[in-house]
Structures are given as structure tokens and as C-alpha cells.
């Protein structure tokens, strides 16, 4: 198989020319997508976008932990708001349609305003305003920097929120409706993970059939009982962590906020492994957290991710890291006997 074909992934109802994407938080306001695609990303996720513009938390609010190749941020969903981002995306809609057809889809990450009393209404507004411009939408309920946000990962709260979000998505007037993914935290108890898995696999939510192919199964369902119809189209695993590993060296390590980069890698990969297992490989996963090499990417893919994202690696290694990760991933796939990325998805669970 040609190198380009080996990196292709068919998932979430779209073709991704390569599995390495840019995580949300880098292009929060939808200002740099075209340049980011030219860096070699297979997909770009903008946001988090809130309904109304908001400043976020006071500065300083981002800290480099250079010795640890990590970052702590407490941005607090600084956003230009739905209207501004919608205008920017609308102005380049034809360009994005061409990119998507070429295997470079666009994701939009949705959040709530800090002062909002109705979180579900904020996410529904995001679906209605930005959904027609997205190939996939992300319900971000896992940032540690918005008070009360992570409470939305609770079973009852998540069920209620997703029922409303999915109803709004299904009511969109566009022909190609966006996939809906939920972005979760790495700081979850075993019970939390089980609850989230039960919600995203719940057939009674809206009785929807999953999009795209069964990840890593060559288009075929896993060997199990008849698969449940999925409530959502995928998971993003994971957001930043509020934990502080004892290995951290930087003086900045005690700053409040979410930790990303190398110290998050193993925790996020284990969370991917857990969620893939709990959902029986039936829910596509985008893996994010500490990816700075092809080896890091493949670890997440073998653990169950169909796609991966990076962000903090750009801080320490610059734009060339994108091509380096893709090239090393391609070499490792070949060395380990995989013909393509999709064959490697969830491979650790089949050993």
C-alpha cells in the first residue's frame, strides 16, 4: 500500500488523509485554519467557542514547564463568541468544502459561557450556529478552568445534555450533518468512565447508528453480541489534567490549571485504553495528550484511538514536528506489520 494510503483513516463519516490533527485551544477563534492545514495536519479543531464573547481568566494564565516539556493553562474559555467565529468560517466555507473532500475535515469545539445558567442551551446554540460549518462538533465538558463544567460528565447530567445536543444536530437543515463527539477528562474514576461509556453507547438516547467504519476492524463489527446503536459519534480522550505527577521538575508546577504535554501522555493513553474497552471498540476515539513523536501516536492508536491530536508539542518542537510524527508513525506501522493506520486501531486489545 502506498504511504499516503497507509495513513488514511475513514471514520466519523469522513476520510482523513492522515490521523494527526491539531487539538482545540490553539486556534480558539477560527483565524488560522488554512495555514495550519498547510503544516500537514490531517484535520484541525477550532475553539473552544462560547456563545457570547468572553475574556477568560486574568493573565498570566499560561505557563511553560520547560524542564518537563509541559504547559499549564487556565485560559478559562477566552472566546470571540459564536457570531465572530461563524462569520470567519462562513467566509471560507468553499475552501473548507474542498479541504474536507481532500481528506482534511474541520472540527469545532463547543463550550459554555462562565456566567451561563443553562449549559445545555449554550451547547445547543453552538450546534445551531456552527454545526452547518463543521464536519464534527465537540461537546467540551472537561476543561478544568470553567467552574462546574466537569460536573456535566456525571451520568444524569451528560444524558440530559447529549439528548438536547443530538436533537439539535439532527434538526440542522444541512444535508451532511456533523458528527458529535464528547471530550472527557483524564481525571476520572472507574465509575465515571463506566457511566460515560454507558451514556455514549446508549441506544435509547436517539436510536442512532454509528457513523463511518468500525474503528480498526476493517469495516466490520467486533465479534460480540449485536452492537448497540450509539448515542454519540465519538469521544475525544483526553483534556488536560489537574493532577501533578511527582516527576515534574519546573518551578511552575504548582500553578493552578490544566497540565498538558509529556507528563499527560501515559494518563491519557490509559484513559483511551479504558474507554475503548468499556465501549467494546464501538465508539471512535480521538486520542490527545502528550503526543510529540510517531511512537506516542502509535501507542494511542494501538490503545484504541482512530485519530490523534497534538498541541503542546508545537510549543517545544515547532511546525516541523507535524511531518516528523507522521513520518515516524508510517515507519513504525510498517515495522510492526500493519498495512495501514486502521489495522492498528485497538491492536493492544487483540494481543
Amino acid at each position: 500500500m502506498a504511504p499516503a494510503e497507509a495513513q488514511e483513516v475513514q471514520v466519523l463519516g469522513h476520510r482523513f488523509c492522515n490521523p494527526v490533527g491539531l487539538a482545540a485551544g490553539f486556534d480558539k477563534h477560527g483565524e488560522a485554519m488554512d495555514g495550519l492545514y498547510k503544516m500537514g495536519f490531517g484535520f484541525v479543531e477550532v475553539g473552544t467557542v462560547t456563545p457570547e464573547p468572553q475574556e477568560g481568566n486574568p493573565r498570566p494564565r499560561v505557563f511553560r514547564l520547560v524542564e518537563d516539556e509541559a504547559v499549564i493553562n487556565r485560559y478559562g474559555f477566552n472566546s470571540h463568541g459564536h457570531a465572530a467565529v461563524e462569520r470567519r468560517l462562513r467566509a471560507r466555507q468553499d475552501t473548507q468544502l474542498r479541504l474536507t473532500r481532500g481528506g482534511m475535515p474541520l472540527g469545532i469545539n463547543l463550550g459554555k459561557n462562565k456566567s451561563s445558567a443553562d449549559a445545555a442551551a449554550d451547547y445547543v446554540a453552538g450546534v445551531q450556529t456552527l454545526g452547518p460549518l463543521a464536519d464534527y462538533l465537540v461537546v467540551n465538558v472537561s476543561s478544568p478552568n470553567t467552574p462546574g463544567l466537569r460536573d456535566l460528565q456525571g451520568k444524569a447530567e451528560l444524558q440530559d445534555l447529549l439528548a438536547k445536543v443530538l436533537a439539535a444536530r439532527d434538526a440542522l437543515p444541512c444535508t451532511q450533518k456533523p458528527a458529535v463527539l464528547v471530550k472527557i477528562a483524564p481525571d476520572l474514576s472507574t465509575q465515571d468512565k463506566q457511566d460515560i461509556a454507558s451514556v455514549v453507547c446508549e441506544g435509547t438516547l436517539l436510536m442512532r447508528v454509528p457513523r463511518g467504519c468500525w474503528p480498526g476492524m476493517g469495516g466490520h463489527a467486533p465479534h460480540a453480541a449485536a452492537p448497540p446503536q450509539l448515542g454519540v459519534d465519538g469521544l475525544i480522550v483526553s483534556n488536560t489534567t489537574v493532577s501533578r505527577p511527582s516527576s515534574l521538575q519546573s518551578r511552575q508546577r504548582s500553578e493552578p490549571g490544566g497540565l498538558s504535554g509529556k507528563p499527560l501522555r501515559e494518563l491519557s493513553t490509559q484513559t483511551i485504553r479504558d474507554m475503548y474497552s468499556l465501549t467494546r471498540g464501538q465508539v471512535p476515539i480521538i486520542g490527545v495528550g502528550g503526543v510529540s513523536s510517531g511512537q506516542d501516536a502509535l501507542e494511542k492508536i494501538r490503545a484504541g484511538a482512530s485519530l490523534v491530536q497534538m498541541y503542546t508539542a508545537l510549543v517545544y518542537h515547532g511546525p516541523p514536528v507535524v511531518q516528523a510524527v507522521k513520518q515516524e508513525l508510517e515507519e513504525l506501522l510498517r515495522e510492526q506489520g500493519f498495512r495501514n493506520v486502521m489495522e492498528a486501531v485497538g491492536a493492544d486489545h487483540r494481543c
Side-chain angles (χ1 to χ4, degrees):
M1 184 172 285
E5 294 175 346
Q7 295 233 3
E8 283 188 7
V9 177
Q10 186 79 29
V11 74
L12 302 173
H14 290 281
R15 180 177 69 88
F16 293 74
C17 65
N18 74 72
V20 181
L22 178 68
F26 189 94
D27 188 9
K28 283 177 170 285
H29 315 302
E31 300 170 300
M33 289 89 71
D34 296 311
L36 292 165
Y37 282 114
K38 288 174 183 174
M39 284 168 53
F41 287 112
F43 61 108
V44 170
E45 186 177 315
V46 303
T48 298
V49 190
T50 59
E52 300 300 324
Q54 64 178 28
E55 291 293 326
N57 291 324
R59 302 185 186 197
R61 56 192 183 187
V62 60
F63 307 89
R64 293 191 187 199
L65 283 64
V66 176
E67 299 91 334
D68 307 294
E69 282 196 35
V71 167
I72 291 174
N73 91 80
R74 51 172 181 265
Y75 282 117
F77 284 173
N78 54 308
S79 176
H80 289 179
H82 287 169
V85 174
E86 192 267 347
R87 281 195 301 272
R88 291 184 191 119
L89 297 181
R90 185 78 62 189
R92 60 177 294 284
Q93 191 170 12
D94 290 343
T95 297
Q96 188 56 53
L97 286 171
R98 287 194 297 272
L99 286 166
T100 297
R101 283 196 295 267
M104 289 175 276
L106 176 70
I108 302 178
N109 187 298
L110 305 176
K112 66 176 284 290
N113 281 114
K114 183 177 181 179
S115 60
S116 174
D118 188 345
D122 280 17
Y123 289 101
V124 166
V127 173
Q128 293 170 338
T129 303
L130 299 174
L133 297 162
D135 295 309
Y136 72 84
L137 294 169
V138 181
V139 179
N140 185 352
V141 290
S142 51
S143 168
N145 301 314
T146 295
L149 188 76
R150 287 190 168 189
D151 295 342
L152 296 173
Q153 294 173 118
K155 188 172 185 179
E157 293 83 357
L158 192 60
Q159 283 174 319
D160 180 66
L161 174 62
L162 291 178
K164 293 172 180 175
V165 165
L166 290 167
R169 188 279 308 277
D170 290 343
L172 288 174
C174 46
T175 305
Q176 177 80 17
K177 293 176 172 51
V180 170
L181 294 84
V182 179
K183 187 166 186 175
I184 66 172
D187 311 305
L188 296 168
S189 69
T190 300
Q191 185 63 55
D192 291 335
K193 293 174 196 174
Q194 291 170 350
D195 287 347
I196 290 169
S198 72
V199 171
V200 301
C201 287
E202 197 168 88
T204 58
L205 199 56
L206 278 180
M207 298 301 288
R208 296 188 61 258
V209 178
R211 291 165 173 254
C213 299
W214 295 97
M217 300 292 177
H220 301 290
H223 297 295
Q229 293 172 306
L230 307 185
V232 298
D233 299 296
L235 290 168
I236 298 188
V237 185
S238 67
N239 215 312
T240 57
T241 180
V242 295
S243 69
R244 295 293 183 267
S246 58
S247 60
L248 294 178
Q249 301 297 311
S250 172
R251 290 183 301 170
Q252 309 270 35
R253 63 184 180 271
S254 59
E255 288 288 346
L259 175 71
S260 62
K262 277 195 173 181
L264 176 60
R265 187 185 71 228
E266 291 183 13
L267 179 59
S268 68
T269 301
Q270 184 58 49
T271 309
I272 291 165
R273 188 171 287 112
D274 293 343
M275 296 310 298
Y276 184 90
S277 179
L278 287 166
T279 58
R280 293 179 293 164
Q282 295 171 21
V283 179
I285 293 171
I286 299 178
V288 54
V291 174
S292 63
S293 69
Q295 179 63 41
D296 298 337
L298 185 55
E299 283 179 7
K300 282 179 164 48
I301 291 166
R302 291 185 61 114
S306 297
L307 303 165
V308 299
Q309 290 176 322
M310 53 200 306
Y311 180 169
T312 304
L314 289 172
V315 173
Y316 292 101
H317 304 287
V321 73
V322 182
Q323 192 60 38
V325 167
K326 292 192 298 181
Q327 185 172 333
E328 185 185 354
L329 174 61
E330 184 181 309
E331 293 167 358
L332 289 170
L333 286 168
R334 190 165 53 246
E335 287 175 12
Q336 296 183 22
F338 298 111
R339 290 175 297 174
N340 53 57
V341 170
M342 294 186 71
E343 276 191 0
V345 175
D348 288 349
H349 300 264
R350 301 191 291 274
C351 294

PDB file of all heavy atoms in Angstrom, residues 113-132:
ATOM      1  N   ASN A 113     -20.563  29.647  28.312  1.00  0.00           N
ATOM      2  CA  ASN A 113     -20.097  30.859  28.963  1.00  0.00           C
ATOM      3  C   ASN A 113     -20.016  30.661  30.472  1.00  0.00           C
ATOM      4  O   ASN A 113     -20.836  29.947  31.065  1.00  0.00           O
ATOM      5  CB  ASN A 113     -21.029  32.031  28.659  1.00  0.00           C
ATOM      6  CG  ASN A 113     -20.793  32.618  27.276  1.00  0.00           C
ATOM      7  OD1 ASN A 113     -21.659  32.524  26.409  1.00  0.00           O
ATOM      8  ND2 ASN A 113     -19.626  33.212  27.074  1.00  0.00           N
ATOM      9  N   LYS A 114     -19.036  31.294  31.077  1.00  0.00           N
ATOM     10  CA  LYS A 114     -18.820  31.152  32.513  1.00  0.00           C
ATOM     11  C   LYS A 114     -20.053  31.577  33.308  1.00  0.00           C
ATOM     12  O   LYS A 114     -20.405  30.961  34.329  1.00  0.00           O
ATOM     13  CB  LYS A 114     -17.603  31.983  32.939  1.00  0.00           C
ATOM     14  CG  LYS A 114     -17.238  31.847  34.411  1.00  0.00           C
ATOM     15  CD  LYS A 114     -15.983  32.627  34.743  1.00  0.00           C
ATOM     16  CE  LYS A 114     -15.584  32.470  36.212  1.00  0.00           C
ATOM     17  NZ  LYS A 114     -14.335  33.215  36.520  1.00  0.00           N
ATOM     18  N   SER A 115     -20.731  32.626  32.828  1.00  0.00           N
ATOM     19  CA  SER A 115     -21.871  33.171  33.568  1.00  0.00           C
ATOM     20  C   SER A 115     -23.198  32.503  33.209  1.00  0.00           C
ATOM     21  O   SER A 115     -24.240  32.847  33.771  1.00  0.00           O
ATOM     22  CB  SER A 115     -21.990  34.674  33.291  1.00  0.00           C
ATOM     23  OG  SER A 115     -22.194  34.892  31.897  1.00  0.00           O
ATOM     24  N   SER A 116     -23.172  31.543  32.298  1.00  0.00           N
ATOM     25  CA  SER A 116     -24.412  30.936  31.834  1.00  0.00           C
ATOM     26  C   SER A 116     -25.087  30.112  32.925  1.00  0.00           C
ATOM     27  O   SER A 116     -24.434  29.342  33.640  1.00  0.00           O
ATOM     28  CB  SER A 116     -24.135  30.039  30.629  1.00  0.00           C
ATOM     29  OG  SER A 116     -25.307  29.343  30.249  1.00  0.00           O
ATOM     30  N   ALA A 117     -26.399  30.254  33.020  1.00  0.00           N
ATOM     31  CA  ALA A 117     -27.174  29.458  33.977  1.00  0.00           C
ATOM     32  C   ALA A 117     -27.739  28.200  33.334  1.00  0.00           C
ATOM     33  O   ALA A 117     -28.274  27.339  34.019  1.00  0.00           O
ATOM     34  CB  ALA A 117     -28.321  30.308  34.534  1.00  0.00           C
ATOM     35  N   ASP A 118     -27.634  28.094  32.007  1.00  0.00           N
ATOM     36  CA  ASP A 118     -28.194  26.954  31.280  1.00  0.00           C
ATOM     37  C   ASP A 118     -27.147  26.419  30.314  1.00  0.00           C
ATOM     38  O   ASP A 118     -27.058  26.857  29.175  1.00  0.00           O
ATOM     39  CB  ASP A 118     -29.458  27.384  30.523  1.00  0.00           C
ATOM     40  CG  ASP A 118     -30.208  26.219  29.894  1.00  0.00           C
ATOM     41  OD1 ASP A 118     -29.622  25.112  29.786  1.00  0.00           O
ATOM     42  OD2 ASP A 118     -31.372  26.413  29.484  1.00  0.00           O
ATOM     43  N   ALA A 119     -26.353  25.473  30.803  1.00  0.00           N
ATOM     44  CA  ALA A 119     -25.257  24.941  29.994  1.00  0.00           C
ATOM     45  C   ALA A 119     -25.783  24.306  28.709  1.00  0.00           C
ATOM     46  O   ALA A 119     -25.231  24.527  27.625  1.00  0.00           O
ATOM     47  CB  ALA A 119     -24.468  23.917  30.802  1.00  0.00           C
ATOM     48  N   ALA A 120     -26.838  23.513  28.805  1.00  0.00           N
ATOM     49  CA  ALA A 120     -27.363  22.822  27.623  1.00  0.00           C
ATOM     50  C   ALA A 120     -27.751  23.818  26.541  1.00  0.00           C
ATOM     51  O   ALA A 120     -27.505  23.583  25.343  1.00  0.00           O
ATOM     52  CB  ALA A 120     -28.546  21.947  28.007  1.00  0.00           C
ATOM     53  N   ALA A 121     -28.351  24.942  26.938  1.00  0.00           N
ATOM     54  CA  ALA A 121     -28.751  25.951  25.952  1.00  0.00           C
ATOM     55  C   ALA A 121     -27.532  26.513  25.225  1.00  0.00           C
ATOM     56  O   ALA A 121     -27.601  26.815  24.022  1.00  0.00           O
ATOM     57  CB  ALA A 121     -29.532  27.071  26.630  1.00  0.00           C
ATOM     58  N   ASP A 122     -26.422  26.679  25.933  1.00  0.00           N
ATOM     59  CA  ASP A 122     -25.194  27.177  25.303  1.00  0.00           C
ATOM     60  C   ASP A 122     -24.684  26.196  24.254  1.00  0.00           C
ATOM     61  O   ASP A 122     -24.278  26.598  23.147  1.00  0.00           O
ATOM     62  CB  ASP A 122     -24.108  27.409  26.359  1.00  0.00           C
ATOM     63  CG  ASP A 122     -24.289  28.710  27.113  1.00  0.00           C
ATOM     64  OD1 ASP A 122     -25.400  29.276  27.061  1.00  0.00           O
ATOM     65  OD2 ASP A 122     -23.315  29.168  27.763  1.00  0.00           O
ATOM     66  N   TYR A 123     -24.670  24.902  24.581  1.00  0.00           N
ATOM     67  CA  TYR A 123     -24.186  23.906  23.624  1.00  0.00           C
ATOM     68  C   TYR A 123     -25.140  23.771  22.437  1.00  0.00           C
ATOM     69  O   TYR A 123     -24.696  23.653  21.289  1.00  0.00           O
ATOM     70  CB  TYR A 123     -23.992  22.552  24.315  1.00  0.00           C
ATOM     71  CG  TYR A 123     -22.809  22.532  25.259  1.00  0.00           C
ATOM     72  CD1 TYR A 123     -22.996  22.655  26.637  1.00  0.00           C
ATOM     73  CD2 TYR A 123     -21.506  22.419  24.784  1.00  0.00           C
ATOM     74  CE1 TYR A 123     -21.919  22.645  27.513  1.00  0.00           C
ATOM     75  CE2 TYR A 123     -20.427  22.409  25.648  1.00  0.00           C
ATOM     76  CZ  TYR A 123     -20.640  22.531  27.009  1.00  0.00           C
ATOM     77  OH  TYR A 123     -19.560  22.534  27.868  1.00  0.00           O
ATOM     78  N   VAL A 124     -26.432  23.828  22.690  1.00  0.00           N
ATOM     79  CA  VAL A 124     -27.417  23.761  21.599  1.00  0.00           C
ATOM     80  C   VAL A 124     -27.246  24.962  20.668  1.00  0.00           C
ATOM     81  O   VAL A 124     -27.300  24.818  19.439  1.00  0.00           O
ATOM     82  CB  VAL A 124     -28.847  23.695  22.166  1.00  0.00           C
ATOM     83  CG1 VAL A 124     -29.886  23.975  21.082  1.00  0.00           C
ATOM     84  CG2 VAL A 124     -29.098  22.329  22.797  1.00  0.00           C
ATOM     85  N   ALA A 125     -27.010  26.140  21.239  1.00  0.00           N
ATOM     86  CA  ALA A 125     -26.770  27.322  20.407  1.00  0.00           C
ATOM     87  C   ALA A 125     -25.540  27.129  19.525  1.00  0.00           C
ATOM     88  O   ALA A 125     -25.527  27.541  18.354  1.00  0.00           O
ATOM     89  CB  ALA A 125     -26.604  28.559  21.291  1.00  0.00           C
ATOM     90  N   GLY A 126     -24.515  26.494  20.077  1.00  0.00           N
ATOM     91  CA  GLY A 126     -23.318  26.214  19.284  1.00  0.00           C
ATOM     92  C   GLY A 126     -23.601  25.272  18.136  1.00  0.00           C
ATOM     93  O   GLY A 126     -23.108  25.464  17.010  1.00  0.00           O
ATOM     94  N   VAL A 127     -24.399  24.251  18.394  1.00  0.00           N
ATOM     95  CA  VAL A 127     -24.774  23.321  17.331  1.00  0.00           C
ATOM     96  C   VAL A 127     -25.529  24.061  16.235  1.00  0.00           C
ATOM     97  O   VAL A 127     -25.253  23.894  15.028  1.00  0.00           O
ATOM     98  CB  VAL A 127     -25.648  22.175  17.897  1.00  0.00           C
ATOM     99  CG1 VAL A 127     -26.182  21.302  16.772  1.00  0.00           C
ATOM    100  CG2 VAL A 127     -24.848  21.336  18.894  1.00  0.00           C
ATOM    101  N   GLN A 128     -26.479  24.888  16.624  1.00  0.00           N
ATOM    102  CA  GLN A 128     -27.314  25.579  15.638  1.00  0.00           C
ATOM    103  C   GLN A 128     -26.526  26.595  14.817  1.00  0.00           C
ATOM    104  O   GLN A 128     -26.736  26.713  13.601  1.00  0.00           O
ATOM    105  CB  GLN A 128     -28.482  26.255  16.357  1.00  0.00           C
ATOM    106  CG  GLN A 128     -29.454  25.264  16.979  1.00  0.00           C
ATOM    107  CD  GLN A 128     -30.471  25.907  17.901  1.00  0.00           C
ATOM    108  OE1 GLN A 128     -30.246  27.019  18.430  1.00  0.00           O
ATOM    109  NE2 GLN A 128     -31.581  25.237  18.132  1.00  0.00           N
ATOM    110  N   THR A 129     -25.616  27.310  15.456  1.00  0.00           N
ATOM    111  CA  THR A 129     -24.869  28.362  14.757  1.00  0.00           C
ATOM    112  C   THR A 129     -23.689  27.824  13.977  1.00  0.00           C
ATOM    113  O   THR A 129     -23.459  28.220  12.822  1.00  0.00           O
ATOM    114  CB  THR A 129     -24.369  29.414  15.771  1.00  0.00           C
ATOM    115  OG1 THR A 129     -25.482  29.940  16.491  1.00  0.00           O
ATOM    116  CG2 THR A 129     -23.628  30.547  15.067  1.00  0.00           C
ATOM    117  N   LEU A 130     -22.924  26.911  14.573  1.00  0.00           N
ATOM    118  CA  LEU A 130     -21.670  26.467  13.967  1.00  0.00           C
ATOM    119  C   LEU A 130     -21.752  25.077  13.356  1.00  0.00           C
ATOM    120  O   LEU A 130     -20.888  24.701  12.557  1.00  0.00           O
ATOM    121  CB  LEU A 130     -20.552  26.515  15.021  1.00  0.00           C
ATOM    122  CG  LEU A 130     -20.264  27.909  15.594  1.00  0.00           C
ATOM    123  CD1 LEU A 130     -19.255  27.838  16.732  1.00  0.00           C
ATOM    124  CD2 LEU A 130     -19.787  28.863  14.508  1.00  0.00           C
ATOM    125  N   GLY A 131     -22.775  24.305  13.725  1.00  0.00           N
ATOM    126  CA  GLY A 131     -22.913  22.951  13.194  1.00  0.00           C
ATOM    127  C   GLY A 131     -22.885  22.851  11.681  1.00  0.00           C
ATOM    128  O   GLY A 131     -22.216  21.970  11.130  1.00  0.00           O
ATOM    129  N   PRO A 132     -23.591  23.752  10.961  1.00  0.00           N
ATOM    130  CA  PRO A 132     -23.584  23.655   9.498  1.00  0.00           C
ATOM    131  C   PRO A 132     -22.220  23.887   8.863  1.00  0.00           C
ATOM    132  O   PRO A 132     -22.017  23.592   7.683  1.00  0.00           O
ATOM    133  CB  PRO A 132     -24.580  24.749   9.075  1.00  0.00           C
ATOM    134  CG  PRO A 132     -25.464  24.938  10.262  1.00  0.00           C
ATOM    135  CD  PRO A 132     -24.564  24.738  11.451  1.00  0.00           C
TER     136      PRO A 132
END
